Amino acid sequence: MERVNQTTSVSEFILLGLSSRPEDQKPLFALFLTMYLITITGNLLIILAIHSDPQLQTPMYFFLSFLSFTDICFTTTIVPKMLRNFLSEKKTISYAGCLTQMYFFYALGNTDSCILAAMAFDRYVAICDPFHYVTTMNHHHCVLLLAFSCSISHLHSLLHILLLNLLTFCDSNVIHHFLCEINPLLKLSCTSTFVNEIVIKTEALVILVTPFLCISFSYIRILITVNKIPSTAGKHKAFSTCGSHLTVVTLFYGSIFYVYLQPLSSYTVGDQVVTIVYTVLSSMLNPFIYSLRNKDLKRGLKKLMGRRKS
């Protein structure tokens, strides 16, 4: 007898999350709520410190303030739904809600990536071409770089959502993840995902790798230039302005490449643990990484705290 109703598309998905054990739900809720509050508070303080201190009105801090803003939006796209599911027996998300979450997840994640590339370019110009820094990294050019970063990221995300919307999900609606992410969703499709996979291997790879290549090129040029500086103090000063950014880039791209530079067939449930690094952990640690290793930003934060107390 033939199976019936196989072409009926699902109207909602079930997000299994990080653990299905009831005893894990409240500890996970407490952990991620704490991380989320730290992320919001830390990044908000960075934004306020930069915008309230005239000495921090430079291209590097202009990009950093938008990186912090993007991180707040990025985690807000993911964590509130996670928190709700930790305390709910019905861990569902509507089809439209799933695509909406995925859209902002990729749009904001790629905006983060592009802003990190813009920050690397800023350091490259400051160290390798300091005499033209003021004209190259003027406010108009910085705004254009930021606008391009946002535009290309949102168009990239929209493309994948439109292609995903053409698929039919009719066998299973259980997503082995804590968010709507493209690899687990493609595994659930009962129609061909050939076009989606081709786009992931071409367009998505270009969008993911290009900012990383720009960052790599910038730091190779910086390394060559700094090695020509005769004094050790001069070298240390040049590298000190790049240390925080390099730490963030390593954390962000290391986890992303681990998850996405692998075939769809080899994607496992364990990869969602690595996803936490670039979705939640990286956004939480960024304010600490930048403030602890940056004297100007620490001074700005102290001035902001002093103003609040007075």
Side-chain angles (χ1 to χ4, degrees), residues 104-176:
F104 286 106
F105 170 67
Y106 284 114
L108 294 168
N110 282 288
T111 299
D112 251 8
S113 177
C114 291
I115 291 176
L116 288 173
M119 293 173 74
F121 179 70
D122 171 76
R123 294 298 82 205
Y124 159 72
V125 177
I127 294 172
C128 301
D129 193 15
F131 296 110
H132 295 97
Y133 181 77
V134 175
T135 53
T136 304
M137 299 303 297
N138 61 51
H139 183 70
H140 178 67
H141 290 165
C142 290
V143 171
L144 285 178
L145 266 175
L146 184 65
F148 175 78
S149 299
C150 294
S151 300
I152 197 71
S153 299
H154 280 270
L155 288 173
H156 160 77
S157 185
L158 182 61
L159 171 64
H160 286 278
I161 296 303
L162 291 175
L163 288 175
L164 200 65
N165 198 41
L166 298 176
L167 302 178
T168 302
F169 303 92
C170 51
D171 288 331
S172 172
N173 67 337
V174 179
I175 299 176
H176 294 274

Side-chain angles (χ1 to χ4, degrees), residues 21-289:
R21 300 196 306 172
E23 62 269 25
D24 292 339
Q25 304 308 304
K26 288 184 179 179
L28 285 171
F29 175 85
L31 174 63
F32 280 91
L33 177 61
T34 303
M35 293 174 70
Y36 182 57
L37 293 176
I38 292 172
T39 300
I40 299 298
T41 304
N43 283 289
L44 195 57
L45 285 174
I46 293 290
I47 294 169
L48 291 174
I50 291 172
H51 285 273
S52 63
D53 190 343
Q55 293 183 334
L56 297 180
Q57 305 303 308
T58 63
M60 180 174 70
Y61 296 112
F62 170 81
F63 289 123
L64 179 57
S65 65
F66 275 97
L67 180 69
S68 293
F69 175 73
T70 305
D71 280 341
I72 290 173
C73 297
F74 190 41
T75 52
T76 301
T77 300
I78 301 162
V79 179
K81 183 62 180 175
M82 287 178 67
L83 296 175
R84 180 185 173 188
N85 285 347
F86 285 139
L87 301 181
S88 174
E89 292 184 6
K90 190 180 180 183
K91 306 177 187 297
T92 59
I93 184 171
S94 67
Y95 179 81
C98 187
L99 293 191
T100 301
Q101 185 189 60
M102 189 184 299
Y103 172 84
F104 286 106
F105 170 67
Y106 284 114
L108 294 168
N110 282 288
T111 299
D112 251 8
S113 177
C114 291
I115 291 176
L116 288 173
M119 293 173 74
F121 179 70
D122 171 76
R123 294 298 82 205
Y124 159 72
V125 177
I127 294 172
C128 301
D129 193 15
F131 296 110
H132 295 97
Y133 181 77
V134 175
T135 53
T136 304
M137 299 303 297
N138 61 51
H139 183 70
H140 178 67
H141 290 165
C142 290
V143 171
L144 285 178
L145 266 175
L146 184 65
F148 175 78
S149 299
C150 294
S151 300
I152 197 71
S153 299
H154 280 270
L155 288 173
H156 160 77
S157 185
L158 182 61
L159 171 64
H160 286 278
I161 296 303
L162 291 175
L163 288 175
L164 200 65
N165 198 41
L166 298 176
L167 302 178
T168 302
F169 303 92
C170 51
D171 288 331
S172 172
N173 67 337
V174 179
I175 299 176
H176 294 274
H177 215 311
F178 58 83
L179 58 85
C180 287
E181 203 266 344
I182 197 164
N183 285 333
L185 268 178
L186 290 181
K187 281 190 169 185
L188 296 180
S189 175
C190 54
T191 49
S192 174
T193 60
F194 177 75
V195 175
N196 303 72
E197 293 185 50
I198 290 297
V199 172
I200 289 172
K201 291 174 182 176
T202 53
E203 185 270 349
L205 189 62
V206 170
I207 293 294
L208 177 63
V209 174
T210 300
F212 179 75
L213 291 177
C214 292
I215 294 169
S216 301
F217 171 79
S218 297
Y219 277 107
I220 289 170
R221 294 289 299 165
I222 287 170
L223 185 62
I224 294 171
T225 301
V226 170
N227 278 334
K228 294 178 181 178
I229 298 175
S231 67
T232 305
K235 290 181 180 179
H236 182 266
K237 184 179 179 180
F239 277 129
S240 66
T241 65
C242 304
S244 301
H245 184 258
L246 270 174
T247 305
V248 172
V249 167
T250 303
L251 187 67
F252 185 76
Y253 277 102
S255 53
I256 284 181
F257 285 152
Y258 178 86
V259 173
Y260 289 103
L261 295 185
Q262 59 175 308
L264 176 62
S265 57
S266 65
Y267 188 86
T268 63
V269 179
D271 290 326
Q272 64 180 289
V273 178
V274 183
T275 305
I276 293 172
V277 176
Y278 68 87
T279 55
V280 182
L281 191 63
S282 178
S283 297
M284 184 187 75
L285 293 178
N286 283 358
F288 296 99
I289 293 171

